[in-house]
Amino acid sequence: MDYQDELVFLTINRKLDLAGVEIKEGQDLPLIKSSMVQNLKDKNWQESIPFIDFLLGMVLCQTVDPALAQSQGYDKILQKSPYQGQVISRIMTGDFDRQAKMDFLTSLEKLHIKEEDITYLKTTLKEEEIRQGKEEGQDLERSLIPIIKSYGKISEESPFFGQALLRLSGIYAGLGHYIKARHYAREALLKDMPEEVKNQARLAIEELEDYANMEAVESYLNLQDLEKAKKHLNKVSQQYPNPDHVHYFLASIALAENDLEASKSHYQEALKLADQGLYHERLAFVNSQLGLIQEAIDHYEKALEKGSDPYTIHHNLAYLYLERKPEEALYHAKAAYNLNNSQELEDLIKTLEKDEKDLDREDEFK
């Protein structure tokens, strides 16, 4: 946005008193050209230009030339005006690019106008900038830490407090921290907020409930608290969009309880819903525990094709092939060793290579 080119002035030919703000006769008041051109066809606008449009022009003048704004008293008018909230709203909803909005808000912030509110709005612009400028491999969570801190400082007295809570909820949901996301949405619902904010909070809670429960299931499984894991899994609704995840966790719980048949059944259901390498890998492990060696090998091979954990798969295939195909066992042992050169694998490779040489000698003897 070319700020200088956007600034135009109209001379007021009579003394005005607008909401307690005195405008002297002959004073030049600024307007934003694009806004002026857009509204000129409106006869009512021509006959009575809304004071808010002049205030927006003063903000632009304050941005372009603070000294001029001060000499004309625009800074005092902006500070005295009862329409500050409307000015800020027009800036945020107007057809300005992100940088222009940021510059306008910075100008108002320097005048100490609704400083906390402006800080909130500037933070929303910075958040948008971070999200749109995200590069591959960038740690989004680390980039958003200053944004999270800024939203967290918005006081309950601010009209944007509820929105700040919902913003935090949205950030944490996007990062996969659903329990935290639900917490902030619930906070927004519990506070004395406008009904619009409460409706947004209710919708967020409804959308987050299943994800938060699934996150809790994973946490309790990691802690080996199976009862709490089952409790939260039972709370997941039929509308949860990833039913394969539900079967995966049911299979994990059954495996932890040593119910291998139930675990196998749920891994199979998960695979019917989503053909993922991890599900093949876990089903292969269960099959190996059930003594179904060929089925285990087949699923490990499929998991390998789908890019699942190569070290674990090669390692396990080496032992599964040990009695069946020693040459395959050697291949997988070497592949696993290249990924993690443990003593265990080194010993296995030496044993298999020795067996292979002994077998070759026997063939030569024959």
Side-chain angles (χ1 to χ4, degrees):
M1 179 178 183
D2 188 346
Y3 297 139
Q4 197 69 49
D5 191 50
E6 275 287 310
L7 196 59
V8 294
F9 292 87
L10 292 182
T11 303
I12 304 303
N13 59 14
R14 62 189 177 88
K15 184 178 178 181
L16 295 176
D17 187 340
L18 297 174
V21 179
E22 185 179 313
I23 308 296
K24 297 177 182 177
E25 182 180 350
Q27 181 164 0
D28 292 331
L29 290 184
L31 285 168
I32 295 176
K33 186 191 290 184
S34 57
S35 175
M36 184 177 174
V37 171
Q38 185 179 348
N39 289 305
L40 273 175
K41 293 180 182 179
D42 184 347
K43 188 176 179 182
N44 291 332
W45 189 87
Q46 294 180 56
E47 291 175 353
S48 179
I49 300 173
F51 191 45
I52 185 87
D53 287 340
F54 286 121
L55 290 172
L56 282 169
M58 292 177 198
V59 174
L60 178 57
C61 187
Q62 176 71 27
T63 304
V64 174
D65 192 342
L68 175 62
Q70 187 175 8
S71 68
Q72 294 295 313
Y74 299 153
D75 55 341
K76 291 191 174 87
I77 293 173
L78 285 167
Q79 287 172 324
K80 288 181 181 178
S81 170
Y83 302 121
Q84 293 171 3
Q86 293 178 42
V87 171
I88 294 170
S89 177
R90 282 283 291 275
I91 289 171
M92 295 303 294
T93 58
D95 190 22
F96 307 118
D97 61 34
R98 187 170 58 244
Q99 188 56 54
K101 289 178 181 180
M102 185 69 79
D103 291 341
F104 291 167
L105 290 172
T106 299
S107 291
L108 291 175
E109 195 172 35
K110 287 177 181 176
L111 297 175
H112 305 291
I113 295 174
K114 291 185 176 290
E115 193 169 356
E116 184 180 43
D117 299 350
I118 293 172
T119 298
Y120 164 77
L121 294 169
K122 287 179 73 174
T123 303
T124 66
L125 294 174
K126 288 175 184 174
E127 181 190 347
E128 181 185 339
E129 184 179 7
I130 288 170
R131 292 187 182 283
Q132 291 186 356
K134 182 181 181 296
E135 299 176 0
E136 189 175 348
Q138 178 186 349
D139 186 343
L140 182 60
E141 186 163 4
R142 182 179 292 275
S143 300
L144 287 170
I145 287 174
I147 304 299
I148 291 169
K149 287 181 178 178
S150 185
Y151 286 142
K153 290 178 181 177
I154 303 300
S155 71
E156 292 193 36
E157 288 70 35
S158 169
F160 293 112
F161 179 62
Q163 293 293 349
L165 291 173
L166 290 177
R167 284 270 180 174
L168 285 168
S169 175
I171 287 174
Y172 282 117
L175 295 172
H177 302 322
Y178 300 111
I179 294 174
K180 273 190 177 181
R182 183 179 60 182
H183 164 76
Y184 283 109
R186 284 175 171 174
E187 282 289 302
L189 186 60
L190 291 171
K191 301 295 181 182
D192 185 18
M193 293 287 117
E195 196 58 33
E196 179 187 356
V197 175
K198 287 195 172 187
N199 287 336
Q200 291 175 9
R202 290 186 188 100
L203 183 61
I205 292 167
E206 185 179 331
E207 292 175 349
L208 289 166
E209 199 67 42
D210 284 339
Y211 291 97
N213 279 314
M214 290 294 280
E215 185 183 354
V217 172
E218 186 171 14
S219 296
Y220 284 121
L221 270 175
N222 290 335
L223 294 170
Q224 299 183 331
D225 191 335
L226 301 184
E227 290 307 311
K228 285 185 179 177
K230 284 191 267 188
K231 177 183 174 183
H232 283 278
L233 198 54
N234 288 333
K235 291 180 181 179
V236 177
S237 72
Q238 295 293 322
Q239 285 71 44
Y240 181 64
N242 302 308
D244 56 301
H245 294 179
V246 176
H247 282 288
Y248 172 77
F249 283 132
L250 284 168
S252 300
I253 291 170
L255 182 59
E257 294 176 331
N258 204 33
D259 189 344
L260 296 177
E261 290 294 345
S263 181
K264 178 180 177 178
S265 175
H266 283 298
Y267 280 133
Q268 287 173 329
E269 288 301 315
L271 273 170
K272 288 178 187 176
L273 295 164
D275 190 16
Q276 291 190 23
L278 176 62
Y279 301 162
H280 281 291
E281 184 183 339
R282 300 308 298 158
L283 180 55
F285 174 78
V286 172
N287 282 329
S288 70
Q289 297 301 298
L290 287 167
L292 305 171
I293 305 304
Q294 190 55 53
E295 286 186 37
I297 289 172
D298 291 344
H299 282 290
Y300 272 134
E301 296 283 7
K302 287 178 183 176
L304 202 56
E305 289 174 13
K306 293 186 173 296
S308 197
D309 178 14
Y311 170 74
T312 301
I313 295 170
H314 282 301
H315 177 280
N316 291 351
L317 281 172
Y319 284 96
L320 289 173
Y321 274 121
L322 203 54
E323 300 297 328
R324 295 179 167 229
K325 294 181 179 179
E327 68 280 8
E328 286 291 329
L330 181 58
Y331 165 78
H332 286 291
K334 286 181 176 179
Y337 183 79
N338 288 334
L339 294 168
N340 183 2
N341 51 354
S342 68
Q343 187 62 49
E344 171 212 353
L345 286 168
E346 186 177 341
D347 293 342
L348 177 61
I349 291 168
K350 286 178 180 178
T351 300
L352 288 167
E353 286 179 335
K354 181 179 180 300
D355 291 346
E356 190 175 54
K357 287 177 182 177
D358 290 344
L359 191 61
D360 288 342
R361 287 195 193 97
E362 286 180 20
D363 288 342
E364 287 174 9
F365 180 74
K366 289 178 184 178

